[in-house]
Amino acid sequence: MMSDTTTVQSTAVVDVAKRVNWFMPHRVIMMLVAAGLVILAATTMRWDWIPQYQNQLLVGIGRTLALLFSSAIVGMLFAIPLGLAQVTGPRPLGWLAAGFCGIIRGTPLLLQLWLLYYGLGSILAANPDFRKEYPEIFYYIRQAWPYGFLALMLSFAAYEGEVMRGAFKGVPRGELEAAKSYGMGRWTMFRRIWLPRALHRALPTLTGDTVLQLKSTPLVATITVVDAYGVISKVRQATYLTYEPLLLLALIYMILTGIMVVAFRYFENMVPSKR
């Protein structure tokens, strides 16, 4: 009983300390400076173009989010076997997985994007036989977004493949041995113990890598995919404004990043684990 009371009191003290920390002098000054900059930007800069482009901006943001989540989800589905192959083998498969991760991580994403779009895309589009035999596939090959999705997905799979390799290795062997001693099969042990524990260990890194993936999506504008960055580029060309569209774009990415970080922290805290 005494220990419970002490714990509650300690928690209350920590909460009060956190609230008090917000009013420390340097933080108050920073908040005042930030508020001053927002007021200055709102009153001295031009924002009358926003209503004209708001629908295009919403479509661009939706396209950015669609590219982000689709490439991250499919990339993660590839990352799990890539990490597992490097840990459990067989050795040739592990070498292939390590080679894929090394090549993708060792070359710029922009280069991969251009190789896929201007290289593979041009070869397939210029092939008349392919166009006649596979008209449904050719319809998608003519567009730019499949190449943007493919480049982003491969990049995410390679980076997370390495993360999952470390996460699988980091799961205590004692837990796996205990599962074996209970007669648990390999698939059941993987599904119930090894994979959940590895995913939980990888979640903090996964949060950071997903934010980096969000910041990589503007590269697709270089192959004519009009995402949020592409819309802002059009606004800059049409209005001859430099700072206002870029400041709005920075605000959009900051808001999206904040939402993603909070969501990942929520899921991270929801997963029970013993360290």
Side-chain angles (χ1 to χ4, degrees):
M1 187 67 179
M2 286 293 292
S3 62
D4 292 342
T5 305
T6 305
T7 303
V8 171
Q9 289 175 345
S10 302
T11 304
V13 170
V14 170
D15 291 341
V16 170
K18 286 181 179 178
R19 285 199 296 270
V20 171
N21 284 340
W22 282 103
F23 297 100
M24 293 178 70
H26 67 283
R27 291 185 176 177
V28 172
I29 292 173
M30 290 177 65
M31 285 189 287
L32 289 175
V33 170
L37 290 175
V38 171
I39 294 172
L40 184 66
T43 55
T44 61
M45 291 183 166
R46 276 189 55 196
W47 303 101
D48 56 311
W49 48 272
I50 291 181
Q52 181 182 352
Y53 293 97
Q54 61 181 1
N55 291 335
Q56 295 182 46
L57 273 172
L58 290 175
V59 172
I61 293 171
R63 197 163 289 154
T64 295
L65 292 176
L67 273 173
L68 168 67
F69 288 116
S70 60
S71 63
I73 291 172
V74 179
M76 195 64 199
L77 293 178
F78 279 100
I80 292 172
L82 283 172
L84 196 62
Q86 294 181 73
V87 175
T88 61
R91 192 167 293 180
L93 201 57
W95 289 340
L96 283 175
F100 169 80
C101 293
I103 291 172
I104 296 295
R105 295 168 71 214
T107 52
L109 176 58
L110 183 61
L111 175 63
Q112 299 163 15
L113 186 64
W114 285 359
L115 282 175
L116 288 172
Y117 181 66
Y118 296 110
L120 180 64
S122 300
I123 292 172
L124 293 177
N127 190 334
D129 296 332
F130 182 84
R131 185 185 307 180
K132 289 180 181 176
E133 293 182 12
Y134 307 101
E136 299 84 4
I137 299 177
F138 183 74
Y139 171 76
Y140 294 102
I141 284 176
R142 289 187 307 172
Q143 303 183 43
W145 67 264
Y147 302 97
F149 163 78
L150 186 60
L152 290 171
M153 185 272 290
L154 291 177
S155 174
F156 196 81
Y159 279 94
E160 298 317 304
E162 281 298 303
V163 170
M164 290 308 298
R165 179 183 64 83
F168 280 128
K169 270 190 173 180
V171 176
R173 305 299 300 178
E175 296 183 9
L176 304 180
E177 294 296 332
K180 284 182 183 177
S181 67
Y182 274 103
M184 198 175 285
R186 296 185 65 179
W187 168 244
T188 306
M189 181 178 66
F190 173 76
R191 183 168 52 87
R192 292 186 178 178
I193 298 176
W194 205 6
L195 180 60
R197 292 282 286 140
L199 286 176
H200 186 262
R201 295 177 68 89
L203 265 178
T205 309
L206 187 61
T207 304
D209 287 349
T210 308
V211 171
L212 290 177
Q213 184 81 343
L214 171 66
K215 292 191 287 187
S216 299
T217 53
L219 292 178
V220 300
T222 62
I223 59 170
T224 71
V225 177
V226 184
D227 65 336
Y229 176 79
V231 174
I232 290 297
S233 297
K234 285 186 173 181
V235 171
R236 291 182 61 199
Q237 293 170 4
T239 61
Y240 299 105
L241 294 172
T242 301
Y243 298 108
E244 289 88 342
L246 292 179
L247 286 175
L248 180 62
L249 183 64
L251 179 64
I252 291 171
Y253 278 103
M254 286 174 63
I255 292 173
L256 294 179
T257 300
I259 294 173
M260 285 170 50
V261 169
V262 170
F264 272 101
R265 292 278 169 81
Y266 174 77
F267 286 118
E268 191 177 337
N269 293 329
M270 287 289 290
V271 179
S273 68
K274 293 181 179 179
R275 299 181 183 279

